Amino acid sequence: MSRRNLNDADFSLMSKVAVLSAFSRDEIVSMTNGATVVIYNGRELLFSEGEPAEQFFIVIKGQVRLFRILGDGRVALFHLVSAGESFAEAVVLSGQKYPVSAECDPGSQIIAISRLQLVNRLRNDKAMIGRMMQSLIERERFFYRELNDLRQRSPSQRLAGFLLSQSDDAEIVPKHVIANRIGVTPETFSRALRKLEDDGFIAQDTRMSILDVEGLRQFSRR
């Protein structure tokens, strides 16, 4: 594990994160004063379910898995957080405990912002509270739309949407993780993958490389 100072690219990315999108650059700099980017060399647990929520996080690079270990020992994946996204901000603001555990991939770069620092900043500027709440409401609307998508789109369309959202240089996401992310069983995922391959939208390789971007985009929107 190593650390580096925040740079202009980090602040530019943070300004697009839902919870901070209503703030100016100077306000974000003030809120993150003293924070650093932590670079994780290996897979590492950021927090465990049930621990006090003292920090929320922004992923600069890499991915973070939010999961819960069930009573029978199985691991249930709740969300896969990618670069440019934040997590745990709502639970931090409510002063509760983390409802899930979080584990980052090797090479991930993550900013942690303390609850105390955030709360103190909000106390000093009441106007920021309203803007932050508006940002959180917008994020809730996004998740509602995403949930609605899961209900209305077929598994193949969900998989198409996921593949289109990934950058060319993104790490290969395990198929079972994608299946969890789009809300299908491994068997349903395999059928959805086979359909996209048979229709010529993607290649039969480990990266599920897209062969027809426009065709896949149109298929995902049907």
Side-chain angles (χ1 to χ4, degrees), residues 46-57 88 91-92 96-101:
L46 302 179
F47 56 77
S48 296
E49 177 186 353
E51 291 181 352
E54 299 294 346
Q55 296 176 311
F56 78 92
F57 303 82
V91 70
V92 162
Q96 299 176 356
K97 296 180 179 179
Y98 293 119
V100 295
S101 299

Side-chain angles (χ1 to χ4, degrees), residues 47-93:
F47 56 77
S48 296
E49 177 186 353
E51 291 181 352
E54 299 294 346
Q55 296 176 311
F56 78 92
F57 303 82
I58 299 171
V59 181
I60 299 296
K61 179 181 178 181
Q63 291 180 325
V64 173
R65 292 172 176 81
L66 304 182
F67 65 94
R68 177 178 289 174
I69 299 177
L70 304 179
D72 58 5
R74 289 184 297 119
V75 176
L77 179 69
F78 278 78
H79 190 56
L80 186 65
V81 188
S82 301
E85 296 181 323
S86 61
F87 60 99
E89 62 270 45
V91 70
V92 162
L93 284 171

Side-chain angles (χ1 to χ4, degrees), residues 118-165:
L118 175 61
V119 170
N120 285 341
R121 185 68 185 87
L122 293 177
R123 282 174 178 166
N124 292 332
D125 188 347
K126 297 294 192 297
M128 291 182 74
I129 298 176
R131 295 202 299 276
M132 176 167 279
M133 291 304 298
Q134 183 61 39
S135 297
L136 290 173
I137 290 171
E138 289 299 324
R139 186 174 186 186
E140 287 299 313
R141 287 174 178 166
F142 166 77
F143 281 119
Y144 176 80
R145 290 194 296 269
E146 190 171 72
L147 178 61
N148 199 44
D149 265 355
L150 290 178
R151 292 171 176 166
Q152 295 184 353
R153 297 201 295 173
S154 70
S156 296
Q157 289 174 311
R158 297 178 215 167
L159 176 57
F162 177 87
L163 295 176
L164 288 166
S165 71

